[in-house]
Every structure is written in C-alpha cells, then in structure tokens.
Amino acid sequence: MGRFQKFVADYNLLTPDDMDELLYTPFEIAMGEFTVERLQRQFENYEYYSGKQHRNENGELVRASELQRPAGLDYDPTRYATNYFKAIINRKARWQMGGKHSVTVPRKKVIDEDGSGAQRTATELAEGKPEGQPTPANGDGLKTKVDASETQDQPIAPNVQTKDPKQIEADRIADGHEKIIQQLWRENKMRSKLIQAARDRLIADRVVAKIVFNPNTGKLRWLFRPDTEFFPVYSDDDFEELIACHFIRQMMVEDGDEEVEAFRKQTFTLEGEGESRQCYVEEAIYTAEDLEVYEQIQPKTPMAISFIPVVPFEVSDLLAEDARDSEISNLREQNDVLNQMNEDAIDSLKFEMFSMTAVINAPEGTADQMRVAPGAVLEARGFQDGQNPSIKKVESGFKWGGVFKDQYMRVKAAMHEVSGLPQVVPQELNFGGLNGDALQILFHDIISDTEEHWLTWEHGLQELHEKSIKYLQARTGESNFNYDKEIVSKVTDYETEIKFVLPLPDNRKELVELLTDEMTGQLESQSGALKRLGVEDIKAKQDEINREFLAMQQSMDPYAEAEDVRPSGGPPTPQAKEAEKIVEDGGTPRNDNGEEVGTCNVCGGSGKVISTADSKIIECMNCRGDGVVQVRKR
C-alpha cells in the first residue's frame, strides 16, 4: 500500500457507466435492469419447482439436504420440502390441456358479388342460368325437367337444391386446410407438448412457440421455448405488434485449452414497410466476457415472409399486475408456510418420542453411564447424606396435534383457493351416481379459471395456425414438401376453431342421448352431431356409417342371397349413356363388333358394384366396368 499513500482519489472520475461495468457483466448491461429482474424471478420459480425451496446464508435457493446446521443449536433441525407447489402446477396444467382438444376449419357459405348465396337447383346448373334468375315454368307451373345425369356425377332431382361449383371448391379447400392443421398437430405431438407448455407458462407467466421448417424432411415444426430464452421487441406505437425478438441460450465454448462462457443468439427482425416488409433471421455465438462474435452460424437472411414466426402465450390477470403479486408468488408463500409447519411437526415429534432424561442428586458421571436400550439397568447412589438420587423422563404431553392439523388444512385450502383447484381431483371420483351437472358445480372454480386461460390459448393457437399456413405458402417451392401444395397455395381464409375439452369423467352417454334427441327433432344434423362428439374426419365416418347401413340392408334382402354383389347406385358409364340415348331415339345400340348390347343387369349401367362381404366398391365383373353387355338372344 506504500505507493498509494500520497494518492488522493478523484471520485468525479467514476461515472455511472464505469460503476455499471464494475458491478454488472456486459450481458446484464445489454439486457437492462427490467429484463434481468424478470430472468432472476423466472429462474427462481423454476428452481423452486424443481425442489430448491430453502435459502442458504447467501440468500440462494438450495435443496433441503444442502443446508448446514444453524449456529447456536445443539441438534440438526429437520429440513423438508413438501413441493405441493409442483403438484398444483402439474395438476392445473393437466386441467388446461389434459383433454382431447381438436381443431376444425369452419365451412363458410360462398356469397357472390350480387349478395346471393351459392345454392342453385340442378335445373339452373343444367341450363347454365345465372344465380338469382328464375327458371322458366311449363304450363303446369313446374320447372322444366332436364336429365340430371348430364350435369351431375350422381342422379339428382331437378328441383333439389345443390351446391354451386364455387361452394364445392370452397368446401374442398376447407377440408384440405383442416387436414393439414390436424396433420401438424399429429406431427408435433401437440397433446403432450401443450401440457408441457402449460407448465412453463404457469411458472414463468409466458411460453413461446417458434415455427421452423425442416428442409430435409419437408415438415413444419412448432418448438415451444421457455420465456427465459425469449427477448421480445414491440413497436413503440403499438405494443401488440412484435417487430423483433431474440432467442438467447447460455453455453460453453472452447477457447484454446479452456472453456469459456458464451451465448447463442438467434434474432428475427421485421424490416421495410407495406408490401415490401419482410422478416430476416440471423444467428451467431457471442462470448460472455466482451460480447464479441465467436462464430457466425447464419448471416442475416430474408425469410420471404412478412411476419415473425413466433407466437407468445402470456398469463396476465391484470393489465397493471406486478410480477411479485402474481399467482405463482402467492403459491410460493403458502408453500413456504407448509414446509415450515412440516419441519416443526417432525422436530416436535422427535422431541416427544425421545424426551429429555433428568438425572437429579446423582454422582457426577452417572449420565455418561446410562445406556439407551431395551431393558437397560442403571445403578445410582446418592453422594450426600439425606439426598436420594432421581432419574426421570421430561415429557410434554403431545397436545398440539389437533391444532396443527387444522392450521395445516387452512394453509392447504388457501393454496387451492389461490390456484382455483378443488380439494377433490377427478382421479378420486371412482364412485357412481355423480352426473355431469354435479361435476360442473363441484369443479366450477377450476372450470371458470381454465376457460379464462383457454381464451389466451385459443387466440395464440389461431395465430400459430395462420402463420404456419402462410409459412408453408412461402415454402411450396421446396423439393421436400410433406403437405398438399395445391391446398396450401389456395388457402386464403386462415380462420380455425379450437374445441377445448375438460378432463372430466366421460359423459359421452349423456351427450349421445342429447344428440340423438336433437337429430330426431331435426334440431341437429348428423355431421354436426359427429363434430360435437369430437370426430376428426366427419366425411370418412359418414361414409363408413352409410356402407355399414347398406350392407345391413343387403343382408336382409331375400333376393340378394344368390348374388355376392349389389349395384353401387352410381352414375351410368359413357357407354351406358350412349346406349340409352340410342334406345330413346328408336335405334339399337351395338358394340364395335356389330353385336347388340344393353344395360348391364348386375351394376345397372354404372360399371361398379358393392361387395356384400366387405361393403367395398369394386368393378363389375359382368360388364368389365363398361356398363353394357352383349344381348343374348334365345
């Protein structure tokens, strides 16, 4: 210190920036105070969830086994972590995402420019009349009859309302759009991923889904990342608009012969205005010491999309809620009380079971000769005349058990009140006699809380679906593309509907009875009932039902015993149509060899038959699919 004796410090030279460099790392300075506090709080919540629910002498969260004996105590106090906090988080996440959720695309009615719908009669379609114009009537006031087989694939009455080709195409695109979304759910294992994401969302108050396209497999991936890696940048004039975001992960890299701390950062930015707006991606590894580029993984590259492929799912009970007053903070406080009560109860039980032994008026060293064992014997003599030695146990009486139980249930009930979870879980309802209405009343709080969270999940998943389709539309030129390019390119309406299901005991019987009554009263259609039952591919299920019904009818037909096939009822083949037309004109239809032909009596001219064995549509073996056969004259 000798060389500093004549040195006088000038404190004006220490600026706030210099102080920040001395107290904080370059990474903390780059993030800012607010972000550092957010990360510290989230990391603490994750550590608390993993079982680190005690603080050491430095104020850090540690496990119970890592604590040392406090000074001034002659015994090791019990350290115990109930982790009821983790149980509530897991149970609440299962309530939100444990049901079998489904996604559908609404089928909308096509409206023409004149405001009319896309429903037209078969006669109007056959005559090529514009929509909205009446069909001429004959003398009986009936619409002119036309051959429906010339206008439709299947026979249809001329006055029956049918769909316009525009409506048929719109429904086809909607069906394909729905199948793509359902395919994405299956490929990304959304049933399990949503439960995991719900836990992270409850712990950190936010979880983020990132959309990534794998050019090697041609598949789209939804990667859910914790909020500790996400650093968003919102627009100054609209805080709902995400204009940039960073994903940062800590890692170790080799620098010569040693490993140094580093950060891997992936950045998405929106640049440009209007139609020229485009998203760019950049990724690199930076050293933690000076934030210099260690390795450039991906230079700044345009992604050919006008949005950031990221969707955040947030938890916010109030618009101006302080993070320290959130549900997670309140649950941690109550869980700390439970831990303390359990530790005190265990210590009290130890003192009660192994009470203190008092040795009175005995010679010195008598206590050292005592043995703690069954049937142990000790001889004690008085060392002074007139004093008798005494040895006895000092016991308390164990009178606090009832009070402890009541207080413990109060704290536990408070945790259930904060989280909204009922004291009874669905797994414990293994008895009968409880209908759906009673379940709704019993779980009213958690159901209301879950539906409130579903609002955020629904908006986020709809945004995720829309961005995914737009992302695929920008990747249709890829050589590996695992989706229907035609449907993807034609989707213009990105709206989807998510049907959330509560993890309550199955009341399918009551729902089927309700739907049956509604269908009988013509208040619900078959497709609508199947949709409410959670059937994904409604058309395939309807075809299956119709085939089974037709097979049942065929099995009851006494005239079908000698045959193993039945007509499919489809439209006639071109050869059959031509033969019918020649007959109507008074001629005799003949084949290329000049032989007289007629309509096949097995398939009815359609060329297709239905096998009564498995109800599959196959080619007619009698006419070989032509619909006409040679007339055998006798």
Side-chain angles (χ1 to χ4, degrees):
M1 295 294 293
R3 59 193 180 98
F4 294 107
Q5 289 179 358
K6 297 181 180 181
F7 176 78
V8 179
D10 185 1
Y11 295 98
N12 294 325
L13 297 178
L14 191 61
T15 63
D17 293 337
D18 296 333
M19 181 66 74
D20 289 340
E21 293 181 0
L22 292 174
L23 298 178
Y24 305 103
T25 64
F27 183 65
E28 291 177 339
I29 296 175
M31 287 190 300
E33 181 181 359
F34 177 79
T35 303
V36 171
E37 291 181 357
R38 173 177 70 88
L39 291 178
Q40 290 177 348
R41 182 178 65 254
Q42 291 174 342
F43 281 127
E44 274 201 356
N45 288 341
Y46 276 106
E47 290 183 345
Y48 197 91
Y49 176 85
S50 64
K52 296 182 179 181
Q53 299 179 357
H54 294 80
R55 294 190 182 275
N56 59 13
E57 59 275 7
N58 297 324
E60 300 172 344
L61 286 176
V62 296
R63 298 187 182 275
S65 58
E66 300 175 2
L67 287 176
Q68 298 180 356
R69 177 191 295 183
L73 294 181
D74 295 331
Y75 72 100
D76 291 328
T78 301
R79 299 301 184 185
Y80 177 77
T82 309
N83 213 353
Y84 201 64
F85 172 84
K86 180 178 181 179
I88 286 185
I89 293 296
N90 292 344
R91 195 177 301 170
K92 191 167 184 179
R94 296 188 193 105
W95 264 101
Q96 294 180 10
M97 295 300 165
K100 189 177 181 180
H101 309 320
S102 59
V103 183
T104 58
V105 174
R107 274 61 169 176
K108 296 184 178 180
K109 184 178 180 181
V110 177
I111 304 299
D112 291 337
E113 296 179 356
D114 59 355
S116 61
Q119 300 292 334
R120 303 173 65 186
T121 64
T123 304
E124 292 173 344
L125 290 174
E127 298 179 355
K129 292 194 174 295
E131 297 183 32
Q133 293 187 6
T135 302
N138 55 19
D140 298 331
L142 300 176
K143 294 182 179 180
T144 305
K145 182 177 181 180
V146 297
D147 187 3
S149 62
E150 299 179 2
T151 61
Q152 297 293 327
D153 293 336
Q154 296 182 357
I156 186 170
N159 293 330
V160 176
Q161 293 289 332
T162 185
K163 290 183 178 179
D164 186 82
K166 296 180 181 178
Q167 184 69 48
I168 296 176
E169 178 66 11
D171 291 344
R172 186 180 74 87
I173 295 175
D175 291 338
H177 183 193
E178 182 176 292
K179 291 181 180 179
I180 291 175
I181 297 298
Q182 293 172 354
Q183 179 182 352
L184 288 172
W185 272 58
R186 290 191 301 269
E187 292 176 352
N188 289 279
K189 301 179 179 62
M190 285 295 284
R191 290 201 64 188
S192 61
K193 289 292 182 63
L194 284 176
I195 297 178
Q196 297 173 0
R199 294 192 185 106
D200 285 88
R201 179 175 173 266
L202 292 173
I203 294 173
D205 290 337
R206 182 168 58 189
V207 71
V208 185
K210 181 166 58 173
I211 305 174
V212 178
F213 182 81
N214 188 347
N216 297 323
T217 61
K219 295 182 179 181
L220 202 69
R221 287 291 176 232
W222 294 335
L223 305 180
F224 285 92
R225 305 306 306 167
D227 194 52
T228 54
E229 301 179 4
F230 180 62
F231 301 86
V233 179
Y234 293 96
S235 173
D236 293 336
D237 55 352
D238 185 4
F239 289 94
E240 296 291 333
E241 182 182 8
L242 188 66
I243 60 175
C245 68
H246 311 277
F247 287 90
I248 303 177
R249 288 187 300 157
Q250 188 177 11
M251 59 185 303
M252 302 298 293
V253 296
E254 294 183 357
D255 185 10
D257 297 334
E258 61 179 356
E259 289 187 346
V260 297
E261 185 180 1
F263 297 96
R264 180 166 180 168
K265 181 173 74 73
Q266 184 184 48
T267 301
F268 296 93
T269 56
L270 278 180
E271 299 182 9
E273 297 293 338
E275 296 181 356
S276 62
R277 200 173 199 187
Q278 189 170 185
C279 179
Y280 291 81
V281 61
E282 182 181 7
E283 188 170 1
I285 298 177
Y286 302 84
T287 57
E289 183 178 359
D290 50 13
L291 297 184
E292 294 293 333
V293 178
Y294 174 81
E295 179 185 355
Q296 186 77 32
I297 299 177
Q298 183 178 11
K300 192 173 183 179
T301 307
M303 300 185 65
I305 54 177
S306 59
F307 56 88
I308 293 180
V310 172
V311 178
F313 300 85
E314 299 183 357
V315 177
S316 181
D317 295 334
L318 296 175
L319 297 177
E321 181 183 23
D322 189 352
R324 290 168 293 185
D325 298 330
S326 64
E327 176 182 327
I328 295 300
S329 299
N330 295 332
L331 286 176
R332 284 183 54 178
E333 292 178 0
Q334 299 297 326
N335 195 78
D336 288 338
V337 176
L338 285 183
N339 287 340
Q340 186 64 48
M341 292 184 63
N342 281 310
E343 292 172 355
D344 294 342
I346 295 174
D347 285 339
S348 300
L349 185 61
K350 287 180 180 178
F351 280 106
E352 185 67 27
M353 294 175 63
F354 306 100
S355 57
M356 184 176 62
T357 303
V359 181
I360 304 174
N361 295 330
E364 184 178 356
T366 303
D368 297 334
Q369 302 175 9
M370 298 178 60
R371 292 184 304 163
V372 181
V377 179
L378 174 67
E379 180 181 359
R381 297 181 180 180
F383 64 95
Q384 292 182 0
D385 295 337
Q387 293 183 350
N388 297 323
S390 175
I391 300 175
K392 60 182 179 179
K393 293 284 188 181
V394 180
E395 298 179 353
S396 61
F398 208 77
K399 300 177 181 179
W400 50 269
V403 178
F404 173 83
K405 183 178 179 180
D406 293 340
Q407 183 61 25
Y408 186 86
M409 295 306 297
R410 290 191 190 99
V411 178
K412 191 175 179 181
M415 296 188 72
H416 281 273
E417 289 291 335
V418 171
S419 63
L421 287 171
Q423 291 279 23
V424 180
V425 297
Q427 292 82 356
E428 297 176 358
L429 297 177
N430 55 359
F431 54 87
L434 197 62
N435 58 19
D437 295 336
L439 287 174
Q440 293 286 334
I441 297 175
L442 181 62
F443 301 124
H444 173 73
D445 291 340
I446 187 59
I447 289 175
S448 301
D449 181 87
T450 301
E451 290 176 344
E452 182 180 350
H453 283 269
W454 279 348
L455 296 176
T456 302
W457 280 107
E458 182 178 19
H459 297 322
L461 290 174
Q462 288 174 344
E463 182 181 353
L464 182 65
H465 298 157
E466 179 178 351
K467 287 185 175 180
S468 298
I469 296 298
K470 291 181 178 179
Y471 201 111
L472 289 176
Q473 289 175 342
R475 299 293 183 271
T476 53
E478 296 285 343
S479 57
N480 289 335
F481 196 81
N482 197 44
Y483 311 95
D484 191 337
K485 291 186 178 181
E486 180 191 1
I487 296 297
V488 169
S489 59
K490 289 185 177 181
V491 173
T492 56
D493 188 355
Y494 305 95
E495 182 180 354
T496 56
E497 296 178 354
I498 296 94
K499 180 183 178 182
F500 293 100
V501 180
L502 289 168
L504 290 172
D506 191 8
N507 58 346
R508 186 181 180 87
K509 180 180 179 181
E510 298 179 5
L511 180 59
V512 169
E513 293 176 353
L514 174 64
L515 294 176
T516 303
D517 294 340
E518 292 183 359
M519 292 174 62
T520 304
Q522 297 183 354
L523 300 177
E524 181 61 281
S525 62
Q526 185 188 50
S527 59
L530 292 174
K531 180 179 179 181
R532 289 166 60 182
L533 283 172
V535 177
E536 292 186 359
D537 197 339
I538 297 176
K539 188 176 184 305
K541 178 60 69 173
Q542 287 179 321
D543 293 341
E544 181 183 353
I545 294 174
N546 293 335
R547 287 196 301 269
E548 292 180 354
F549 180 74
L550 183 59
M552 181 182 64
Q553 283 187 325
Q554 293 172 356
S555 64
M556 298 174 62
D557 188 356
Y559 299 100
E561 294 179 356
E563 300 179 354
D564 59 350
V565 294
R566 298 290 293 170
S568 64
T573 63
Q575 296 90 328
K577 289 182 181 179
E578 184 179 359
E580 292 176 0
K581 186 176 181 181
I582 293 175
V583 172
E584 291 177 358
D585 295 340
T588 301
R590 298 181 181 275
N591 57 17
D592 296 338
N593 298 327
E595 300 170 338
E596 183 179 353
V597 295
T599 303
C600 178
N601 59 346
V602 176
C603 63
S606 65
K608 302 290 183 181
V609 293
I610 300 176
S611 174
T612 57
D614 53 8
S615 300
K616 290 184 178 180
I617 299 178
I618 58 177
E619 186 180 84
C620 178
M621 300 301 295
N622 186 44
C623 63
R624 302 296 181 180
D626 294 335
V628 294
V629 294
Q630 181 182 354
V631 177
R632 304 290 182 180
K633 295 183 179 180
R634 299 180 180 177

